[in-house]
Amino acid sequence: MSTSISEKAGATLRTGGRIFFALVSLLAGLALLAGGFRLVLLGGSFYYFAAGVAYTVVTALLFLRNRVALPVTAGVFLATVIWALADTPEFGYWALLPRLTVPAILCALGLWGAATLPDLNATAKKASVAGGAGLTLALLIALFEAFTPHGAIRNSSDVATRAPDAVAPGDVPENWAYFARNEHGTRYVPYTSITPENVSHLKVAWVYHTGRRLTGAGTGVDENTPQQIGNVLYSCTPENLITAIEGDTGKALWKFDPHAHTAEHVTCRGVGYYDMDQDTTLTAEEKSVGPDEPCRQSILVNTVDARLLALDAHTGKLCPKFGDNGIVDLKPRMGPVEGGKRYHPTGIPVVMGHTTVIGGWVRDIVHGEPSGVVRAFDVRTGAQTWAWDVGDPENANAADPSKTYTLETPNVWTIPTYDRDLNLVYLPTGAGPPDYWGGDRDAAKEKFSAAIVAVDASTGQTKWVFQTVHHDVWDYDLPSQPVLYDVTNAKGEKIPALIQTTKTGNIFVVDRRTGTPVTDVVEKSVSTRNQAQGEHLASTQPFSVGMPGIGNQPLSESSMWGVSTFDQLYCRIMFRNSVYEGPFTPPGEKPYIEYPSLLGGMNWGGISIDESRGLMFVNDMRVPLRMMLVNEKNASHYKISMDEVPGFMGTLRPQVAGPYRGVRIDVLQSPLSVPCNTPPFGTMSAIDLHTKKLLWQVPLGTVKDTGPMGVKTHMDVPLGLPTLGGPTSTASGIVFFAGTQDYYLRALNSLTGDELWKARLPAGAPAAPLVFRSPKNGKEYVVISAGGMSHSPDVSDEIIAYTLPDDEGK
């Protein structure tokens, strides 16, 4: 009796298991049938539809208790493996994961389901069970492998054995007085106390709380890299609260709050510093005036409500002789600025002798936006010395306070660079508004948009122009500071060069004297099909083929990705249901894919160059966007939003131009809110400037503080996520970086990209690390402003300094 009951119970379990496995297979098959059929109709891969048919057949065989279910199940998986290997553009863990994980699970379930069939012989049953167990073990190994870095590129080089490059003493100042430490913008630190061997010993030296506002509208993003002069750090918050901090202790010496507020692009990336006593552009007589007066050393601050301030570096008080008691209003003559809402500077004041240069962010929505003029001011008095207004090239109106600067011209929202030897200032420009339609652009916009422009630092007169994008309707503003560094050309000649990174993933290297390319740049044909009404796109675009392209390999249906087979299928459908013509796909009224996107490629953080090794380090992001121009008739169907990334998704971003009223911008992503392109989504790369070749590239960042649907996974899976901020390199062979989506400050080996150390931060840190040596105790400090990534739920007001233990830190 008991045997009979046991046998019945076993039979019931086997039947129930088989039915469960069959239902799972049926659900998967139906989903793949529906999605696969749609993909086939769009001209895509037949695999998903065929797999849907196969899993439906497996379901039927299991329900019918047909032993053919076993070979069919195994055959489907084997066919899937063959297809996956053939379909993958680049063989690798992340590429194969969505292609094989779900099929492996279904195969294991199918094998176990087949093992319950009553007419299957004992050997086949054992093989089915063993096969399912083997696949389960393989899946567990694959899960474990997710915590191991994948996708790194490492190429051979002689950089470790060749003689160090000579570094001029003037290129390695003791102070961090500029945005990227030195005036050339290399963000290179000549110190060697913190080494690859001891960097793991770094400990927190101090934590300073800035007191920035953390809640409410317009709190902004902390992108600040403090300036360091001697033993004092000068910090700014997104709303321009300025603090002088003692470098050894983290104690505040003084604070100044300008009470600056605005609605958009609320950020402060740093301050400018001026020292009259060290100014070589002044005569001895000019320096001798007022030796006891305040502000011989001053801090320059551009605010988010469009003011320029000068503060005494020692006291934090406004400089009485600068402008109106320390303040210059930047809004007059700029057009409809709306109190700074439509215009304000987002770079830092660039000091050139006793002059500072100020550009500005412009909202870029409608015709008649504020001017993109760049202005220079005397740092002692606040008097304007020149204006670069492309609509008034002779500066005929510069001295007339009643004249408005030319409206909606290309602007300079990032940071210019000053060349003292050539007396040139290099302006990286954006496009004249509106961003995404240019059917009626004038000659000035066509010439100066998305270009490096060299102007005379004394007069503002244009000297040369090098354009990186023709007729830019993709919002491919030049996002980063131009970097000055001498490189060799194809003939082996050392050329004073300028290096410009871009959102397109192209890195341009030009002669900074003339603007002519040092490394090869070619004009390639690009698509002009399906363009918007009234548009006239450029038929060619410049591609920098003499330097490695970073993250700009063209997309394809097979490069679409997903966490699983199902969201990969969704992404493939989205790709096929969008217009994509490769790089520079024309904007239009049908959904189109922009990649690299307006987010980058490379963005505002810029690069670092290890000047002793000739290595350039650049971080990037790889997030395709699905966009669509919306005409007046259809605009009412959408919510209007001026929110930044990623808040604009699903809304209409106003763009009033020609027949259009806006552009819909969405991340090309799966329903799990995961980008559709294959990881990594962000990397750090090292380029050997001797050979112009990629030395290494590593995925950067884990999903610990993010995840599907925005839910944190709390897992250190090194997928490689979008990065912001910039790297800092040292003479000892370290690259420090913090601009990842997870909350870490990292140290990488500059020769290999290997992670040497990381420190957990209270929030993200889209800012470049500051590395300085204390003149008081000789210790080196690594400082990071950890205020939170854009739109992250975690926000902080901490500035954190790290140093080695006392017996190692000098």
Side-chain angles (χ1 to χ4, degrees), residues 35 72 77 91 134 204 207 221 235 311 414 561 571 574 576 592 635 697-698 723 737 744 774 787:
V72 171
F77 183 66
F91 182 85
V204 174
V207 178
V221 183
S235 166
L311 310 175
T414 191
W561 193 75
C571 285
M574 292 291 286
R576 285 289 182 177
Y592 65 95
Q697 183 176 94
V698 295
T723 66
F737 186 74
Y744 289 105
S774 168

Side-chain angles (χ1 to χ4, degrees), residues 394-465:
E394 301 302 322
N395 283 339
N397 299 324
D400 188 345
S402 67
K403 299 288 187 180
T404 298
Y405 296 115
T406 309
L407 301 183
E408 63 176 270
T409 51
N411 62 319
V412 178
W413 60 263
T414 191
I415 298 161
T417 305
Y418 172 54
D419 188 327
R420 187 185 304 271
D421 295 334
L422 296 177
N423 196 38
L424 295 176
V425 58
Y426 304 101
L427 308 177
T429 71
D435 280 327
Y436 307 105
W437 185 85
D440 58 1
R441 289 183 180 171
D442 60 23
K445 289 184 184 179
E446 297 291 16
K447 179 179 180 179
F448 291 104
S449 291
I452 310 160
V453 183
V455 303
D456 188 291
S458 301
T459 66
Q461 294 296 312
T462 301
K463 294 299 182 180
W464 56 257
V465 181

Side-chain angles (χ1 to χ4, degrees), residues 470-727:
H470 306 320
H471 192 75
D472 177 20
V473 288
W474 301 272
D475 197 13
Y476 283 156
D477 300 350
L478 288 187
S480 57
Q481 180 184 25
V483 176
L484 311 185
Y485 187 74
D486 295 350
V487 300
T488 54
N489 62 13
K491 298 178 181 179
E493 303 166 326
K494 185 75 85 172
I495 303 296
L498 177 150
I499 302 172
Q500 180 68 60
T501 56
T502 69
K503 292 182 180 181
T504 65
N506 284 291
I507 301 170
F508 293 94
V509 183
V510 301
D511 188 323
R512 61 181 184 259
R513 299 167 298 186
T514 62
T516 56
V518 175
T519 57
D520 288 343
V521 176
V522 299
E523 291 283 335
K524 293 185 180 181
S525 297
V526 294
S527 175
T528 57
R529 298 185 300 173
N530 304 309
Q531 57 184 294
Q533 297 180 45
E535 190 57 275
H536 51 85
L537 299 178
S539 60
T540 66
Q541 292 289 349
F543 287 78
S544 179
V545 298
M547 290 287 285
I550 304 296
N552 56 2
Q553 291 74 24
L555 300 176
S556 65
E557 183 203 320
S558 59
S559 69
M560 293 296 99
W561 193 75
V563 176
S564 71
T565 300
F566 305 108
D567 52 321
Q568 183 179 48
L569 171 57
Y570 175 90
C571 285
R572 293 176 88 131
I573 291 171
M574 292 291 286
F575 179 84
R576 285 289 182 177
N577 204 28
S578 307
V579 176
Y580 180 67
E581 304 277 354
F584 302 99
T585 292
E589 296 178 36
K590 296 180 180 179
Y592 65 95
I593 295 172
E594 181 177 290
Y595 184 78
S597 72
L598 58 92
L599 307 176
M602 285 75 89
N603 212 294
W604 61 265
I607 66 174
S608 178
I609 295 178
D610 181 339
E611 298 184 26
S612 65
R613 296 174 177 85
L615 296 180
M616 183 178 96
F617 307 100
V618 55
N619 58 287
D620 72 309
M621 65 177 76
R622 306 177 186 190
V623 181
L625 297 180
R626 191 170 187 259
M627 304 172 63
M628 179 175 65
L629 293 176
V630 180
N631 58 34
E632 185 172 12
K633 177 182 177 182
N634 295 322
S636 61
H637 299 161
Y638 298 94
K639 175 186 175 183
I640 303 294
S641 173
M642 287 304 300
D643 206 353
E644 296 299 314
V645 181
F648 56 50
M649 290 189 294
T651 66
L652 189 70
R653 193 164 178 81
Q655 282 287 294
V656 183
Y660 301 105
R661 291 299 173 265
V663 57
R664 176 166 175 167
I665 307 176
D666 295 283
V667 175
L668 181 63
Q669 61 184 8
S670 75
L672 297 178
S673 300
V674 176
C676 282
N677 52 312
T678 303
F681 307 128
T683 70
M684 180 71 75
S685 301
I687 296 171
D688 188 339
L689 292 175
H690 289 259
T691 64
K692 318 301 187 297
K693 303 294 184 183
L694 183 70
L695 177 63
W696 53 257
Q697 183 176 94
V698 295
L700 212 55
T702 71
V703 297
K704 184 178 183 68
D705 298 297
T706 185
M709 307 297 293
V711 178
K712 294 184 181 182
T713 68
H714 301 288
M715 294 190 296
D716 289 314
V717 176
L719 196 66
L721 297 180
T723 66
L724 273 176

